[in-house]
Amino acid sequence: MSSVAQVLAAEIAANFRRLVQPSTIAIYASHGSRPDTPVQVGTGFLMRHQSRPVLITARHVLRGHKFNEDPAEKAVHINGSWVYVGDGSRTLVEPTGRDLSVMFMDEFALCRCLDTPSSLPLASTIITMGGYLSRDFKRSGNTLRPAPRVYTNVAVSAAPGMIGLRHPWRRNVNTSTGASAVSPTPRGLSGGPMVDSLALLKGAVVLLGVLTEMNNGSARGEDVGIITQAIAAL
């Protein structure tokens, strides 16, 4: 990566942390052998709809990769308290055949929410995604310390209704240090937002999708059109 590209990538990452990361939410479940110990299993993010906060995440974050887990066992941590996502107090909209779940969550502050897109964006050439990496999650007593991660790369083709970006295991660069980096196992990042990198450079947030899967050198997610249709169904 050239020095100019490194500077631009670092600025994109900084703007993501400033403009997008406040909307991101770590999602937890109980440790299998220690029920009182939370483990971070995924990411979600907040959008504003009808003057209410909406939580968006990947369906498999709440239901497991085999879709055989109970969303009532998945929780978010708000002001020192656990709020269980599938506790029966809210409706989860999950479009058929899509790895997506959206729901109103009035427990969150509206000031943390991204604006719902008024129109679908044009195709992007560079995409930035972010979320929380389970590998680096820390817990100090009652204080939870999810570990944010931001990643940018060029867009790649994906199936209809999805977007994608390159995500090789090797040949990545840490924009803080300039050193070569190996991508970690991406557990925990699913459900995070995917946004237009060039818009971030200009200080704007253009949502492109929600991350749902990573393999074979790319990361993919449900696109913003699928997300807005699901939110409209709430």
Side-chain angles (χ1 to χ4, degrees):
M1 178 182 287
S2 70
S3 58
V4 172
Q6 184 178 327
V7 168
L8 292 177
E11 186 173 348
I12 288 169
N15 282 352
F16 184 97
R17 296 184 186 99
R18 179 172 63 89
L19 299 172
V20 183
Q21 193 167 298
S23 74
T24 60
I25 307 295
I27 298 175
Y28 300 91
S30 294
H31 190 284
S33 60
R34 299 192 300 275
D36 293 335
T37 301
V39 291
Q40 190 242 320
V41 296
T43 299
F45 63 98
L46 299 170
M47 296 192 71
R48 183 193 312 262
H49 179 62
Q50 298 177 352
S51 298
R52 296 173 65 187
V54 174
L55 177 65
I56 296 138
T57 189
R59 183 170 174 248
H60 78 260
V61 170
L62 304 182
R63 299 188 183 274
H65 285 282
K66 296 182 179 179
F67 301 112
N68 59 355
E69 297 177 14
D70 188 351
E73 298 176 356
K74 306 298 168 66
V76 295
H77 203 241
I78 307 174
N79 298 325
S81 299
W82 290 108
V83 177
Y84 288 85
V85 174
D87 62 2
S89 65
R90 57 186 58 82
T91 298
L92 277 61
V93 173
E94 297 175 329
T96 301
R98 294 291 177 180
D99 193 356
L100 175 67
S101 185
V102 305
M103 68 223 71
F104 283 120
M105 286 206 72
D106 295 310
E107 294 87 349
F108 287 106
L110 270 174
C111 62
R112 295 186 61 179
C113 299
L114 301 176
D115 291 329
T116 302
S118 57
S119 60
L120 297 183
L122 300 175
S124 298
T125 56
I126 308 176
I127 298 174
T128 299
M129 64 183 189
Y132 297 99
L133 197 61
S134 296
R135 180 198 69 179
D136 296 334
F137 167 64
K138 299 290 188 295
R139 182 172 184 261
S140 303
N142 292 325
T143 302
L144 305 178
R145 303 185 188 280
R149 178 175 172 80
V150 181
Y151 183 85
T152 297
N153 215 321
V154 295
V156 297
S157 60
M162 301 190 75
I163 61 167
L165 69 153
R166 286 191 69 239
H167 190 269
W169 182 55
R170 296 185 181 275
R171 301 181 69 181
N172 294 296
V173 174
N174 185 317
T175 55
S176 297
T177 65
S180 296
V182 174
S183 293
T185 300
R187 181 171 172 80
L189 296 176
S190 290
M194 306 170 78
V195 298
D196 187 303
S197 308
L198 299 181
L200 272 182
L201 268 180
K202 301 174 183 178
V205 178
V206 176
L207 182 70
L208 300 177
V210 53
L211 179 66
T212 59
E213 58 191 70
M214 280 190 265
N215 54 41
N216 301 322
S218 69
R220 298 170 300 282
E222 304 289 356
D223 75 16
V224 67
I226 302 296
I227 295 172
T228 54
Q229 288 174 21
I231 290 176
L234 285 170

